[in-house]
């Protein structure tokens, strides 16, 4: 059923006309909005809205593809060869996608479209292509190998890549961090405990600890190796763990010491740890949506179950296979793999866009919100109960199902849309959501994506955490969504939570006037999120923080009227608000932020609206190759295909509503 739903989603999406991407970025003319007929604006809105209607599923929801870098399709190929479950047709389709993404400028693969060479992604892509049958002597493989070697070779890969190489017997196990199953036995007071890391870290680490403890070895049926990617023979390499900081040096010493003691772990302790890890994983397998509903955890779980002796046809193995297959996007000649699905997020953001125009038919929105209701997670035994055991549930997940891990951002957006609908049928759902959100506020007044006070920053210095994404601390964008909704909802019992949330947001404003965007790229997203919250909370539009944000947004508008911001800003904040191109989604965020701050009649907004209208495709939507958000800043990025669809429409509808430009 899930595969069928995914196929409908993908084919409905890819049958929409794909226009030439670079043709979208047109130079603006000297026309003003007043010279542009109202009918042009109305037609742009109607066209986009009608196409979005056509993409709504029969059951009422929306879900657009969610794309990541080539690490994901490469790992799918590597997983098939690890398990000796190779689908030759599928691996060749995945390989075709990977080849197409190779950057001819640097010869390797990037973390996002147009990005710089990434060592770990390139190693996995190279290995996957070689497994499929690409000769190392072909030009594209020679280019990739040269780039990998020029960047220090495979020994310089990140932890997750080295773990994979160890399981493929390409490097010794001493080249990877010590991740024993016994971590699940650590007490809460210990320096490391599962509750001290983010949900994505937990779901990846526990099955991985099983693989590491049992020294998993890939089947590798074609006996493919990549020794040519090392500058020093891997068994002779002595520098697998470059020291990052003094604290990292300390943790590295402790970790290496612990790894030497592994043979001394009593057999009964190892057996108990493996059993506990197995129980933890099985409890969270999550049916056909998979462990954590995220690809890396699902792959680790699938491999760990096999290593633990579960047969190929066991229901748990079957669930994992279906979950992984459900992430595939088959485009005919090529296939790629999503890191997860985004139905709740896509649905509520589309609803919020359409709700800006209350004079149009709201029945599609009603159908979507009705679909949303049974997906609310009310009584599931989520990991968040570790910190709030007595708090009644009320959240939504990001994916179709992920009951252990409701997401505060999705919950706030869903409750916002449900509350705006004004239906008595939704009152209890909104109340449950509001109470749950208020109960999930961190001690500094901010809100994180999944956890409370997940701020054990020292853990980012452990050898395993070279990606720097082990934690889920509060962020401005999630705090803005939660605080804005709670303020709009107006329950007196949440007044203090709103006050603390606003105080956190004021404290997080950058010197420039912008706010950092943790879950969207980047400062434009963060600034829009906070300005929207200020609007919902009725903060005076003349507040100095708002005026500084407005001036910053105006200062980074591009000459063609749009806005653009590179993902490189996560490496170099000095490039905030800068990019060589304008994008539809970042233009929409800037416009929504400015209009939230009362700037709907400014020339800046008029130019931005004109840009969106001029770059709209003939089918009513917008298309561009740029990645829209970080999964984890600096290490993993995403392209929400829906962002170029509903955010521009949201901005256009709001502009018409605020300026009184009604259909003629």
């Amino acid at each position: 059923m899930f595969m069928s739903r995914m196929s409908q989603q993908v084919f409905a999406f890819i049958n929409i006309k794909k226009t030439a991407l670079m043709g979208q970025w047109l130079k603006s003319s000297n026309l003003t909005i007043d010279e542009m007929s109202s009918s042009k604006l109305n037609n742009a809105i109607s066209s986009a809205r009608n196409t979005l209607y056509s993409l709504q599923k029969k059951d009422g929801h929306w879900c657009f593809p969610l794309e990541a870098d080539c690490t994901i399709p490469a790992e799918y190929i590597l997983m098939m060869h690890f398990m000796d479950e190779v689908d030759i047709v599928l691996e060749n389709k995945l390989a075709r996608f990977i080849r197409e993404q190779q950057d001819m400028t640097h010869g390797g693969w990037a973390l996002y479209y147009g990005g710089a060479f990434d060592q770990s992604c390139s190693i996995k892509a190279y290995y996957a292509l070689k497994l499929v049958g690409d000769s190392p002597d072909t030009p594209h493989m020679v280019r990739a190998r040269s780039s990998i070697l020029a960047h220090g070779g495979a020994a310089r890969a990140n932890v997750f890549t080295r773990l994979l190489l160890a399981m493929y017997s390409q490097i010794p196990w001493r080249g990877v961090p010590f991740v024993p199953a016994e971590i699940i036995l650590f007490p809460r007071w210990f320096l490391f405990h599962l509750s001290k890391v983010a949900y994505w870290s937990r779901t990846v680490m526990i099955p991985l600890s099983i693989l590491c403890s049992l020294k998993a070895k890939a089947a590798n049926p074609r006996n493919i190796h990549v020794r040519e990617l090392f500058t020093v023979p891997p068994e002779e390499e002595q520098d697998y763990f470059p020291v990052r900081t003094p604290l990292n040096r300390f943790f590295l010493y402790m970790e290496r010491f612990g790894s030497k003691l592994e043979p001394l772990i009593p057999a009964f302790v190892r057996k108990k740890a493996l059993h506990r890890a197995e129980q933890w994983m099985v409890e969270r397998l999550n049916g056909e949506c998979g462990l954590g509903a995220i690809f890396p955890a699902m792959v680790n779980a699938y491999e760990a179950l096999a290593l633990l002796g579960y047969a190929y046809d066991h229901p748990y193995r079957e669930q994992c296979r279906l979950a992984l297959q459900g992430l595939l996007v088959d485009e005919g000649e090529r296939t790629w793999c999503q890191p997860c699905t985004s139905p709740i997020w896509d649905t509520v953001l589309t609803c919020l866009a359409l709700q800006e125009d209350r004079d149009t038919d709201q029945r599609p929105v009603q159908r979507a919100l009705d679909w949303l209701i049974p997906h609310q997670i009310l009584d599931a035994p989520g990991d968040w109960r570790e910190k709030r055991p007595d708090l009644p549930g009320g959240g939504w997940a990001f994916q179709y199902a992920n009951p252990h891990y409701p997401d505060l951002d999705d919950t706030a957006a869903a409750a916002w849309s449900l509350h705006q609908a004004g239906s008595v049928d939704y009152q209890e759902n909104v109340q449950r959501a509001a109470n749950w959100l208020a109960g999930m506020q961190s001690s500094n007044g901010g809100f994180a994506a999944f956890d409370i006070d997940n701020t054990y920053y020292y853990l980012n210095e452990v050898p395993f955490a070279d990606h720097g994404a082990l934690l889920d601390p509060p962020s401005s964008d999630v705090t803005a969504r939660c605080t804005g909704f709670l303020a709009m909802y107006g329950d007196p019992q949440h007044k203090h939570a709103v006050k603390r949330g606003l105080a956190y947001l004021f404290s997080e404003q950058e010197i420039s006037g912008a706010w950092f965007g943790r879950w969207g790229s980047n400062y434009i997203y963060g600034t829009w999120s906070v300005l929207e919250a200020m609007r919902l909370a009725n903060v005076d539009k003349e507040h100095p923080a708002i005026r500084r944000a407005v001036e910053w947004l105006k200062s980074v508008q591009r000459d063609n009227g749009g806005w653009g911001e590179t993902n490189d800003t996560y490496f170099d904040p000095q490039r905030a608000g800068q990019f060589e191109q304008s994008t539809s989604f970042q233009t929409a965020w800037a416009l929504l932020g400015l209009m939230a701050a009362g700037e709907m009649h400014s020339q800046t907004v008029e130019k931005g609206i004109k840009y969106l209208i001029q770059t709209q495709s003939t089918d009513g939507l917008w298309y561009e190759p740029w990645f829209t958000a970080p999964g984890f800043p600096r290490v993993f990025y995403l392209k929400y295909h829906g962002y170029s669809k509903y955010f521009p429409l949201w901005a256009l509808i709001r502009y018409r509503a605020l300026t009184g430009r009604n259909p003629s």
Side-chain angles (χ1 to χ4, degrees), residues 58 139 195 338 434 503 572 606:
K58 290 182 180 179
S195 66
Q338 303 174 101
D572 181 11
E606 289 186 353

Side-chain angles (χ1 to χ4, degrees), residues 66 340-345 396-400 405 407 410 640:
L66 181 61
C340 61
T341 57
S342 54
I344 303 295
W345 192 236
W396 277 267
F398 180 77
Q399 305 90 346
Y400 285 104
Y405 305 107
D407 172 9
D410 283 84
Y640 288 81

Side-chain angles (χ1 to χ4, degrees), residues 187-203:
R188 286 181 178 83
W189 55 261
F190 198 63
L191 279 174
F192 178 90
H193 185 264
L194 282 182
S195 66
K196 293 180 178 179
V197 298
Y199 114 76
W200 55 82
S201 300
R202 276 171 250 149
T203 54

Side-chain angles (χ1 to χ4, degrees), residues 347-424:
T347 297
V348 297
L349 291 176
T350 303
C351 287
L352 286 167
L354 296 172
Q355 283 178 324
E356 290 282 334
D357 188 354
R358 296 308 181 92
D359 294 329
T360 58
D361 184 5
Q362 291 291 300
R363 284 177 295 180
V365 173
Q366 182 79 35
R367 289 176 55 225
L369 297 179
D370 287 344
W371 174 85
L372 200 63
I373 293 301
H375 287 80
Q376 189 172 22
I377 302 165
L378 300 176
D379 299 310
D383 283 8
W384 57 270
R385 293 185 186 276
E386 179 86 19
K387 293 284 184 70
R388 294 289 187 270
D390 299 323
L391 178 65
W396 277 267
F398 180 77
Q399 305 90 346
Y400 285 104
N402 199 8
H404 273 81
Y405 305 107
D407 172 9
L408 277 72
D409 215 359
D410 283 84
T411 300
W416 176 7
S417 187
L418 288 165
H419 181 60
Q420 282 190 159
S423 171
V424 294

Side-chain angles (χ1 to χ4, degrees), residues 579-658:
F579 195 37
E580 67 265 19
Q581 301 286 354
S582 298
T583 71
S584 66
F585 54 93
Q586 287 165 328
T587 297
W589 294 337
L591 289 170
L592 288 166
L594 287 169
M595 287 187 282
E599 294 288 319
M600 69 288 296
H601 295 294
S602 69
Q603 273 194 331
T604 302
V605 168
E606 289 186 353
K607 285 178 64 180
I609 294 295
K610 180 176 62 174
Y611 171 82
L612 289 180
I613 293 173
Q614 288 181 324
T615 55
Q616 188 177 26
S617 174
T618 54
D619 69 359
L621 300 182
W622 290 260
Y623 297 92
E624 51 215 335
W626 315 113
F627 276 40
T628 58
F632 311 114
R634 298 189 298 279
V635 294
F636 186 66
Y637 295 85
L638 301 166
K639 178 183 178 181
Y640 288 81
H641 285 234
Y643 278 17
S644 296
K645 314 299 178 276
Y646 40 73
F647 277 119
L649 176 61
W650 191 346
L652 292 176
I653 294 176
R654 176 172 289 183
Y655 176 79
R656 186 174 68 179
L658 292 176

Side-chain angles (χ1 to χ4, degrees), residues 377-395 403 406 408 411 430-442 447 450-452 486 493-494 497:
I377 302 165
L378 300 176
D379 299 310
D383 283 8
W384 57 270
R385 293 185 186 276
E386 179 86 19
K387 293 284 184 70
R388 294 289 187 270
D390 299 323
L391 178 65
L408 277 72
T411 300
V430 176
Q431 182 72 59
R432 288 287 295 267
N435 292 342
W436 184 73
L437 287 170
M440 293 293 289
Q441 189 170 30
S442 289
F447 294 83
F450 299 91
D451 289 299
I452 302 166
L486 290 173
Q493 67 175 320
H494 304 144

Side-chain angles (χ1 to χ4, degrees), residues 107 132 140 190 242 245 282 298 344 353 421 425 477 518 548 561 577 583 614 619 638:
V132 171
H140 69 284
F190 198 63
T245 65
V282 167
M298 291 153 62
I344 303 295
D425 294 338
D477 41 4
R518 165 62 182 86
R548 289 171 57 213
T583 71
Q614 288 181 324
D619 69 359
L638 301 166

